[in-house]
Amino acid sequence: MRKIYIAGNWKMNLTFQAADDFFFHLAEYLQSTGTGDVQALICPPFTYMELATDTADQTSLSIGAQNVSQYDNGAFTGEISADILSSMDVEYCLVGHSERRQIFQESDSLINQKIQKLRKYFLIPILCVGESLSERESGKAVEVVQNQLSKCLESIEIDNDLMIAYEPVWAIGTGKTASPQQAEEIHKMIRDWIAAKYGEQVAADLPILYGGSVNPANLAELLAQPDIDGGLIGGASLDIESYIKMLKIAQKI
Ligand code: PEP
C-alpha cells in the first residue's frame, strides 16, 4: 500500500526564527502523536537544512531540497550539489517545479540531467509536471504532461526511487485548485504512462502527489481519489497549525 505524503514546499519564505519555531512544534507533534502511514516531508530553503535534518533525526520527518545543480561538485558559485545534499541526509529533491521552469528557464533536458545527478547520489527526485492555463483550455493538458514525462525521464530507469507531483501551473499560488476529478484524471494517466514504460509494479508503487493551492479545506476530497497519494503544498505549509491540520486530515483517509 502506498503511503500518503504531506510535502511542504517553503520556497523562499520564513525567517530562521520562524523556521526554528516550526520545526520545534512539528517535532513535538510527531514525537507525541505520530502520523501512522502518513509521511511528513518538508522542503525548506537550503540555509535551514541543518535545522530540518536535526529534526528529522529525532522524528519520522523526511527532508527534501528545492533545487540541485546538474554538476557534481566544483567551481559553480551559488549552486548546491546532490553530493552535498546527500552528505546532509537530505532524502528528496524537487525538480521541474514550474517556478524554476518559468522564472529560471529550466528545460526538460536540464531537469533530466538533475534527475540523473540525484540518482547518482541516491536522492529521490520529486519530478513536478503540469500544464499552463492556456494549454488546459486548448485541451492539451495530457499531451503537455506526457511530453514533460518523456523528456525528463529519457534514458532513466526507475525502481521505487521517484516521486511525481502533478501541479497544474494555473493552480499554483492562485487559490484555484483543480477539481478532484480533473486532478485524478491526470494522476491516472501518469500512472498508466509509468506502467507502460516501467511496468505495473513500479507504477503501483509510485507516489503521485497533487500540488496547486492545497489547503486544509480541500485536502480531504483530493486525497479521496485513488491515484492521489498526497499533496505538494506551498502557502498552506508555512504555518505549523495548518500543516499539522493537514497531517491529521491525511491520517483519517
Ligand atoms: C507549490 O509550491 O508547489 C505549490 C503548489 O504552491 P501552493 O500550494 O501555494 O499553490
Side-chain angles (χ1 to χ4, degrees):
M1 214 184 85
R2 295 187 299 270
K3 278 187 183 177
I4 296 181
Y5 293 80
I6 299 298
N9 173 17
W10 284 1
K11 313 190 189 191
M12 197 171 71
N13 289 302
L14 299 186
T15 61
F16 181 84
Q17 191 54 53
D20 196 23
D21 282 353
F22 184 105
F23 284 123
F24 175 80
H25 291 297
L26 182 58
E28 236 178 18
Y29 177 76
L30 294 175
Q31 282 162 351
S32 63
T33 313
T35 54
D37 279 338
V38 175
Q39 181 63 56
L41 197 168
I42 298 287
C43 303
F46 288 130
T47 43
Y48 308 151
M49 221 33 116
E50 203 167 344
L51 265 186
T53 53
D54 281 354
T55 310
D57 278 350
Q58 300 155 30
T59 65
S60 57
L61 178 66
S62 284
I63 300 301
Q66 297 177 21
N67 188 23
V68 68
S69 168
Q70 69 272 36
Y71 301 110
D72 274 297
N73 280 303
F76 300 101
T77 302
E79 291 291 281
I80 302 281
S81 67
D83 189 17
I84 294 173
L85 293 174
S86 155
S87 75
M88 295 201 69
D89 295 330
V90 174
E91 286 177 76
Y92 296 88
C93 182
L94 300 176
V95 276
H97 193 283
S98 62
E99 287 153 16
R100 297 224 52 97
R101 290 177 189 264
Q102 290 182 340
I103 304 168
F104 301 100
Q105 282 83 46
E106 292 199 2
S107 64
D108 289 321
S109 111
L110 178 65
I111 293 160
N112 179 288
Q113 291 173 50
K114 291 186 174 197
I115 293 175
Q116 301 207 35
K117 228 30 107 180
L118 289 169
R119 290 168 49 79
K120 178 172 171 190
Y121 292 95
F122 305 104
L123 279 102
I124 299 181
I126 305 175
L127 169 61
C128 304
V129 292
E131 79 287 358
S132 66
L133 185 59
S134 62
E135 288 162 343
R136 171 153 288 265
E137 285 175 347
S138 54
K140 291 195 178 136
V142 168
E143 186 191 324
V144 167
V145 171
Q146 286 182 345
N147 197 29
Q148 290 171 337
L149 289 172
S150 100
K151 289 184 175 154
C152 294
L153 294 174
E154 194 180 329
S155 308
I156 294 179
E157 278 311 311
I158 60 164
D159 183 18
N160 286 335
D161 49 4
L162 177 75
M163 206 183 272
I164 291 180
Y166 168 56
E167 300 207 304
V169 180
W170 48 273
I172 299 178
T174 58
K176 288 184 197 161
T177 324
S179 70
Q181 295 68 29
Q182 281 174 321
E184 171 60 21
E185 187 196 347
I186 303 288
H187 280 235
K188 168 95 176 51
M189 177 281 288
I190 292 173
R191 204 174 300 286
D192 290 346
W193 189 93
I194 292 285
K197 184 169 162 90
Y198 298 109
E200 292 292 339
Q201 196 54 53
V202 171
D205 293 341
L206 177 77
I208 308 177
L209 314 189
Y210 169 78
S213 299
V214 174
N215 60 48
N218 58 26
L219 180 64
E221 54 176 4
L222 288 159
L223 292 184
Q225 302 301 313
D227 290 292
I228 300 185
D229 305 314
L232 178 57
I233 304 154
S237 74
L238 295 170
D239 173 71
I240 186 65
E241 279 178 26
S242 153
Y243 185 75
I244 288 177
K245 230 183 242 175
M246 293 189 284
L247 290 175
K248 287 182 179 164
I249 291 166
Q251 274 180 272
K252 286 196 197 136
I253 298 293

